[in-house]
Amino acid sequence: MASTDRRNFLKSIAVTAAAGVVSGCSSSNNAEKNSPAIPSQGKSVMGLTIPKMDVVRIGFIGVGERGSGHVKHYCHIDGVEIKAICDTNEIALDKSVEYVVSKNFPRPARYTGTEHSYREMLNRQDIDIIIISTPWAWHTPMCVETMESGKHAFVEVPAATTIEECWQLVNTAERTQKNCMMMENVCYGRDELMVLNMVRQGLFGDLLHGEAAYIHELRWQMKEIDSKTGSWRTYWHTKTNGNLYPTHGLGPVSQYMNINRGDRFDYLTSTSSPAIGRQAYAKREFAAEHERNQLKYIAGDMNTTLIKTKLGRSIMVQHDTTTPRPYSRHNYIQGINGVFAGFPNRIALENIPPAIATQYESEYQLKITEWRAAGSKGRQPKLQNFHRWDEDIAKWQAQFDHPMWLNMGQEAERNGGHGGMDFLMLWRMVYCLRNGEALDQDVYDAAAWSAIAPLSADSVTDRSNSKDIPDFTRGVWQSAKPLGIIA
Ligand SMILES: NC(=O)c1ccc[n+]([C@@H]2O[C@H](COP(=O)([O-])OP(=O)(O)OC[C@H]3O[C@@H](n4cnc5c(N)ncnc54)[C@H](O)[C@@H]3O)[C@@H](O)[C@H]2O)c1
């Protein structure tokens, strides 16, 4: 390992240890470890509402690849003030500070110098929320300190890397009565919002099964050595063999299934393929003596995890950031009336809603006429919609686009960020805060969705034996209301 990388790696371990947490590679197999260390020291924050904010005053920690995008978006959203920005990397920090100034807003205060400079920013009394976009090992410590400082925490995915960290988030949010939202932007994608709307309208019937994934070839990040994502993310492939990044696909499927609001994750089992692709890539792309060729990559290239929910449904979650292949989050949901599948979007239903059924009916009439004109030879066309995929998604969008997308989608697409989902999420967070409404994602979602990473690793190292998924809501999931369809 080159000395800077070794230093960074050791630093990241030290950070984790300093925060009193176990690094992601450790196993937490026993049930005791997966249960809350302490009973709630406050009350549930399910559906937490707080007094309306006139203006949302924001501080940022981490403005690298991701955080700088959040800063830019907030320069185009009404009702916010960017008060301060913190980053250990002064080049990244100044880029974001200057961007804000270039848009004619007051110059945000700068915090830098040490890895704990963010603490000075947290001491300020004129900030309401902190947006955290740092490497994974920092997420929970920074969220906890943010809430302790009287501010609301908004953190990038995943919110936590161990079960202990998940409980730290829940315990702190309940004690301080602060929001801790993991910013799962994919829940604000046009397709995902449409499917949520369709599920709520009962199009699929009772739900049975979902599939989620983060399949995204990211080997190229291994070439980011001194800064940027690959400079720290690469090492997770040497520490943990499991699903390193479960939440992008899983968040939306969890919302379809009312996870933590009527159902919850019960247990999982996980298995990994061999870990070969990164070693092969390093051999091909780096000199033999390069640090990337000295690392031992242990995260299986493809990890497959199966979650069972309390209502008996199943969810498959896959992770592969190594294999050269097209991107997918699966985005698959199956009920007793049929399925929606993503990447590419396809629908197959038995009972088609009336507005759309007429199109199926006329296609069918056309086929029957053609069949008769051809002498009624061969098999007679049948009106069995569910035997083929309908890939003409535009007509489904015309009927079922989510109201929030109808209201804000054009602006979201104009502003961009993964097709508009980033902008819509950031806009929605501020909307909720300014209108005194509960956020769409809470600390229980952050904990449950993030917990899949360490528990999948536990299962992989234990011959795929099942691992219980803690009830982070402490039973409240049974009475909590499902997420509504809001405009
Ligand atoms: N939701 C999404 O679509 C999406 C996309 C990309 C990244 N992410 C997530 O965003 C997070 C950041 O990823 P990235 O790609 O921007 O990484 P990055 O390395 O580009 O940025 C991280 C930034 O944090 C700074 N930093 C590190 N430690 C710090 C500390 N102690 N105090 C202050 N600043 C510190 C770094 O200097 C860097 O500028 C990760 O959790 C990643 O998983 C999410």
Side-chain angles (χ1 to χ4, degrees):
M1 212 184 274
S3 64
T4 44
D5 301 309
R6 190 194 305 277
R7 223 172 25 246
N8 286 340
F9 183 42
L10 292 174
K11 242 190 256 169
S12 89
I13 290 180
V15 164
T16 319
V21 294
V22 183
S23 106
C25 59
S26 77
S27 276
S28 50
N29 285 340
N30 60 65
E32 204 175 280
K33 215 170 171 191
N34 288 349
S35 63
I38 49 167
S40 176
Q41 294 176 317
K43 60 179 196 297
S44 174
V45 288
M46 183 72 72
L48 178 71
T49 53
I50 53 172
K52 291 180 186 179
M53 296 177 187
D54 268 354
V55 171
V56 180
R57 299 167 302 174
I58 310 178
F60 291 86
I61 314 177
V63 284
E65 301 284 290
R66 183 72 180 152
S68 59
H70 295 329
V71 171
K72 283 182 183 160
H73 281 311
Y74 271 130
C75 288
H76 300 273
I77 291 176
D78 287 341
V80 306
E81 281 174 14
I82 298 177
K83 287 287 186 188
I85 305 182
C86 171
D87 199 302
T88 45
N89 178 331
E90 291 204 48
I91 297 171
L93 173 61
D94 286 334
K95 260 193 203 162
S96 279
V97 167
E98 294 309 326
Y99 184 86
V100 176
V101 174
S102 76
K103 296 293 162 197
N104 298 320
F105 295 112
R107 179 175 291 276
R110 289 168 87 255
Y111 292 88
T112 189
T114 77
E115 289 181 322
H116 292 102
S117 297
Y118 67 90
R119 289 178 175 161
E120 291 168 51
M121 188 171 85
L122 293 182
N123 281 335
R124 293 174 68 123
Q125 299 303 309
D126 62 349
I127 293 179
D128 303 304
I129 74 169
I130 299 288
I131 294 187
I132 300 161
S133 311
T134 48
W136 302 341
W138 282 100
H139 287 182
T140 294
M142 286 171 170
C143 281
V144 166
E145 290 184 57
T146 293
M147 290 185 274
E148 301 282 10
S149 78
K151 300 166 182 59
H152 302 277
F154 292 80
V155 65
E156 264 306 333
V157 301
T161 61
T162 65
I163 297 302
E164 292 84 343
E165 285 192 338
C166 291
W167 279 115
Q168 282 180 32
L169 293 178
V170 168
N171 291 333
T172 311
E174 290 181 342
R175 182 162 40 76
T176 59
Q177 292 293 296
K178 295 294 170 198
N179 285 300
C180 177
M181 170 174 158
M182 183 177 71
M183 299 186 293
E184 188 34 87
N185 50 327
V186 176
C187 293
Y188 295 88
R190 181 182 187 175
D191 299 336
E192 287 78 3
L193 286 170
M194 179 182 78
V195 176
L196 179 64
N197 194 19
M198 293 167 82
V199 168
R200 287 290 185 279
Q201 295 193 34
L203 252 70
F204 302 99
D206 290 340
L207 299 184
L208 304 163
H209 174 74
E211 294 179 13
Y214 189 66
I215 293 174
H216 191 185
E217 192 277 310
L218 292 175
R219 291 172 301 175
W220 53 271
Q221 288 184 342
M222 291 164 69
K223 293 188 175 167
E224 297 172 336
I225 305 293
D226 292 321
S227 64
K228 300 193 178 173
T229 324
S231 67
W232 52 269
R233 190 165 168 165
T234 302
Y235 297 101
W236 283 93
H237 290 263
T238 69
K239 292 201 286 180
T240 305
N241 183 6
N243 186 327
L244 301 181
Y245 203 60
T247 71
H248 282 330
L250 186 57
V253 170
S254 301
Q255 291 191 339
Y256 308 153
M257 288 192 179
N258 294 333
I259 296 300
N260 291 337
R261 296 168 180 80
D263 195 1
R264 78 167 181 87
F265 299 153
D266 190 357
Y267 61 91
L268 64 74
T269 177
S270 184
T271 192
S272 288
S273 76
I276 311 175
R278 289 197 171 238
Q279 210 75 65
Y281 183 81
K283 202 169 167 193
R284 191 182 80 195
E285 299 291 327
F286 298 94
E289 65 281 8
H290 194 282
E291 177 262 357
R292 293 296 195 233
N293 267 315
Q294 314 307 317
L295 295 174
K296 184 165 168 40
Y297 303 95
I298 63 162
D301 296 356
M302 168 64 86
N303 173 270
T304 303
T305 300
L306 257 183
I307 302 172
K308 185 82 168 160
T309 77
K310 278 285 179 191
L311 295 189
R313 297 144 165 183
S314 48
I315 308 173
M316 181 187 76
V317 198
Q318 291 192 310
H319 176 269
D320 180 356
T321 57
T322 302
T323 309
R325 55 167 291 186
Y327 180 97
S328 180
R329 293 191 301 271
H330 293 341
N331 194 26
Y332 177 101
I333 193 75
Q334 177 178 332
I336 60 169
N337 189 39
V339 298
F340 178 97
F343 301 89
N345 288 335
R346 293 152 287 165
I347 300 181
L349 292 180
E350 183 169 30
N351 296 306
I352 309 277
I356 287 176
T358 51
Q359 294 183 39
Y360 276 79
E361 184 64 35
S362 51
E363 277 174 30
Y364 167 70
Q365 289 304 340
L366 203 65
K367 276 190 202 151
I368 272 281
T369 311
E370 282 169 2
W371 179 75
R372 287 195 182 121
S376 303
K377 285 189 199 118
R379 197 181 281 179
Q380 181 174 347
K382 284 187 183 162
L383 190 59
Q384 280 185 335
N385 319 307
F386 55 88
H387 276 307
R388 64 178 176 89
W389 290 111
D390 183 352
E391 293 178 15
D392 173 16
I393 296 302
K395 66 173 180 288
W396 295 88
Q397 287 171 331
Q399 292 295 321
F400 295 106
D401 254 338
H402 192 289
M404 186 161 48
W405 188 266
L406 291 176
N407 282 346
M408 288 300 295
Q410 275 190 348
E411 181 151 4
E413 272 178 339
R414 204 171 34 251
N415 282 281
H418 295 110
M421 60 171 71
D422 295 351
F423 179 86
L424 192 56
M425 171 184 73
L426 297 169
W427 170 84
R428 172 76 182 152
M429 282 156 44
V430 164
Y431 177 91
C432 290
L433 294 169
R434 295 185 76 199
N435 289 280
E437 291 184 13
L439 297 166
D440 303 325
Q441 299 171 35
D442 59 25
V443 73
Y444 306 112
D445 300 322
W449 304 352
S450 301
I452 302 311
L455 291 175
S456 67
D458 285 351
S459 178
V460 167
T461 52
D462 188 22
R463 293 180 60 81
S464 305
N465 276 307
S466 67
K467 300 294 156 193
D468 287 348
I469 304 171
D471 174 9
F472 294 106
T473 74
R474 306 180 210 265
V476 176
W477 66 273
Q478 294 173 83
S479 53
K481 280 204 197 110
L483 202 63
I485 298 294
I486 33 73

